[in-house]
Amino acid sequence: MRLASGVIITHQVENVLSSLEALRTTELFTIIRSQDDKEQPKEFLVEHAQEAIDKAYIASESLNYIILIASRFSDIAQNRLLKIIEEPPKNKAFVLITASKSSLLPTIQSRLPVTVFNDAESEEVFALDVVNLNLAKLYTFVQENARISSVECKALVEKISLSAMKSGKYNLDDSTLKVFSDSIKALEVGSPTTFILNTLLLKLLAQKKR
């Protein structure tokens, strides 16, 4: 690991922060985390992006790394950050730390080097058997995840999508793939997680190869 602008994909945020801290000499760190009132991770929203921009324009004589930490960055927040990441103010650099590369816009990935750490063993085991999906397993899975947050549900949608593609068991036509992307958008505007999971998995089940 080196101390430089970039994106770090990890499930071990505190370990990564400790490693970055060990590399620091005269540099400053400004850390912005997206958390709720109970200090639980939540999506990095446009207000967090604006906070990062405001702090980036505070003058500093030493190089200041603006470190943004979130389980997921919303598309709107990423678009808001794009210009300042591309042309940061003097003595400013950006480091984004998140759990999933797939949640980052191509425009962000093209402007910052991406480092992926293989520490996925810290993730909870994905409980859904996508390969052998049926109505009973669908119902049980939705019930088990009835009270998750929208951010957690987005992570599940990503896992379901990747698992379905890797399995080769489904006819993933354009309309099915659109359901995955629409599910993320619907969660961002507050759609119930159980409705999203039911809709997504029923659509997927209908596309299962016979």
Side-chain angles (χ1 to χ4, degrees), residues 9-23:
I9 307 299
T10 181
H11 296 280
Q12 304 269 355
V13 173
E14 299 307 322
N15 289 347
V16 167
L17 284 177
S18 296
S19 297
L20 293 175
E21 183 68 36
L23 296 170

Side-chain angles (χ1 to χ4, degrees), residues 31-198:
I31 298 174
I32 300 175
R33 295 175 183 257
S34 57
Q35 296 178 324
D36 59 22
D37 294 338
K38 297 181 180 179
E39 297 188 350
Q40 294 300 307
K42 71 174 187 177
E43 187 171 36
F44 198 96
L45 302 173
V46 68
E47 57 261 34
H48 302 114
Q50 188 58 53
E51 179 185 357
I53 292 168
D54 292 342
K55 290 187 175 179
Y57 281 108
I58 298 174
S60 60
E61 302 209 0
S62 298
L63 179 58
N64 187 359
Y65 282 93
I66 312 294
I67 301 175
L68 311 180
I69 304 172
S71 55
R72 179 183 172 85
F73 289 78
S74 74
D75 289 355
I76 297 175
Q78 291 181 68
N79 282 321
R80 179 67 66 89
L81 289 168
L82 192 58
K83 183 176 180 181
I84 201 166
I85 285 175
E86 191 171 25
E87 299 177 3
K90 182 181 177 181
N91 288 333
K92 300 300 187 303
F94 282 86
V95 176
L96 279 62
I97 302 178
T98 189
S100 173
K101 182 179 178 180
S102 63
S103 67
L104 296 174
L105 296 174
T107 47
I108 293 290
Q109 295 186 44
S110 67
R111 285 161 174 77
L112 291 172
V114 179
T115 301
V116 179
F117 287 98
N118 295 317
D119 52 16
E121 64 272 10
S122 64
E123 286 188 285
E124 292 183 6
V125 176
F126 187 38
L128 182 63
D129 183 3
V130 173
V131 172
N132 300 301
L133 183 65
N134 56 35
L135 282 173
K137 291 178 180 179
L138 185 159
Y139 176 80
T140 299
F141 182 76
V142 172
Q143 293 302 307
E144 288 174 347
N145 292 279
R147 297 186 179 182
I148 62 174
S149 68
S150 60
V151 173
E152 291 170 319
C153 192
K154 287 177 188 177
L156 282 184
V157 170
E158 290 180 4
K159 288 181 180 180
I160 294 167
S161 172
L162 290 173
S163 296
M165 287 187 283
K166 289 179 180 178
S167 72
K169 299 290 186 180
Y170 297 89
N171 297 309
L172 298 177
D173 56 14
D174 289 344
S175 66
T176 307
L177 294 175
K178 188 174 185 297
V179 171
F180 283 102
S181 60
D182 287 348
S183 295
I184 297 294
K185 294 175 183 177
L187 286 165
E188 289 177 349
V189 296
S191 293
T193 55
T194 51
F195 172 77
I196 294 299
L197 290 175
N198 268 315

Side-chain angles (χ1 to χ4, degrees), residues 133-135 138 170 201-208 210:
L133 183 65
N134 56 35
L135 282 173
L138 185 159
Y170 297 89
L201 291 172
L202 285 171
K203 174 66 175 179
L204 190 62
L205 190 57
Q207 298 300 105
K208 192 171 184 180
R210 307 300 177 189

